[in-house]
Amino acid sequence: MTLKFYQNLGKLFYAVAAVDKNVEAVEFAKLKELVKKQWLNLDTIEDTFGSDAAFQIEIVFDWLNTQGNLNAKSCFDDFIAYKNKQNHLFTDTVKHLILKTAHAIAASFSGINKSELIFLANLDRELKNT
């Protein structure tokens, strides 16, 4: 994995939360919980400050949210472009973890709505094209 890998995951998970034009605090809380429980153990890569690189997921999500950029499509498109260039990073384990995290974020606030359901279906389709 690389720092860019985790940064692009931050974009993707932000897109999941922002697809319905409203990012809820509980969605970010769910992401932080999952980063700690599942993503930190994926590898041993660290950023320049010695922190686990997986924290880049939270940093990018929070930065996008602070900017108020609710353009989920552009974040999703950026992630897919990265995935297509770096296919070797997207093992079955990683793809499963991505889908599990995306579903948990979507379900964390009042269940999965129609726009989130469509988004998750598109994500699933894109990951199967790897």
Side-chain angles (χ1 to χ4, degrees), residues 92-104:
D92 287 343
T93 301
V94 168
K95 290 188 281 189
H96 175 74
L97 195 50
I98 289 169
L99 288 170
K100 184 176 178 181
T101 303
H103 278 270

Side-chain angles (χ1 to χ4, degrees), residues 13 19-20 29 49 67 74 78:
F13 297 142
V19 73
D20 57 3
F49 303 105
Q67 299 302 308
S74 71
D78 286 353

Side-chain angles (χ1 to χ4, degrees), residues 74-117:
S74 71
C75 290
F76 181 73
D77 291 346
D78 286 353
F79 170 79
I80 296 304
Y82 177 81
K83 178 197 71 82
N84 290 338
K85 289 179 189 168
Q86 302 293 331
N87 267 336
H88 64 283
L89 297 175
F90 292 86
T91 63
D92 287 343
T93 301
V94 168
K95 290 188 281 189
H96 175 74
L97 195 50
I98 289 169
L99 288 170
K100 184 176 178 181
T101 303
H103 278 270
I105 292 167
S108 67
F109 182 76
S110 300
I112 298 175
N113 63 36
K114 185 178 177 182
S115 56
E116 291 166 335
L117 189 61

Side-chain angles (χ1 to χ4, degrees), residues 6 8 13 16 18 33 40 46 63-64 69 72 89 92 98 102 104 106-107 110 116-117 119:
Y6 290 112
N8 276 281
F13 297 142
V16 172
E33 173 190 327
L40 291 179
E46 295 181 344
W63 183 81
L64 289 167
N69 174 7
L89 297 175
D92 287 343
I98 289 169
S110 300
E116 291 166 335
L117 189 61
F119 183 95

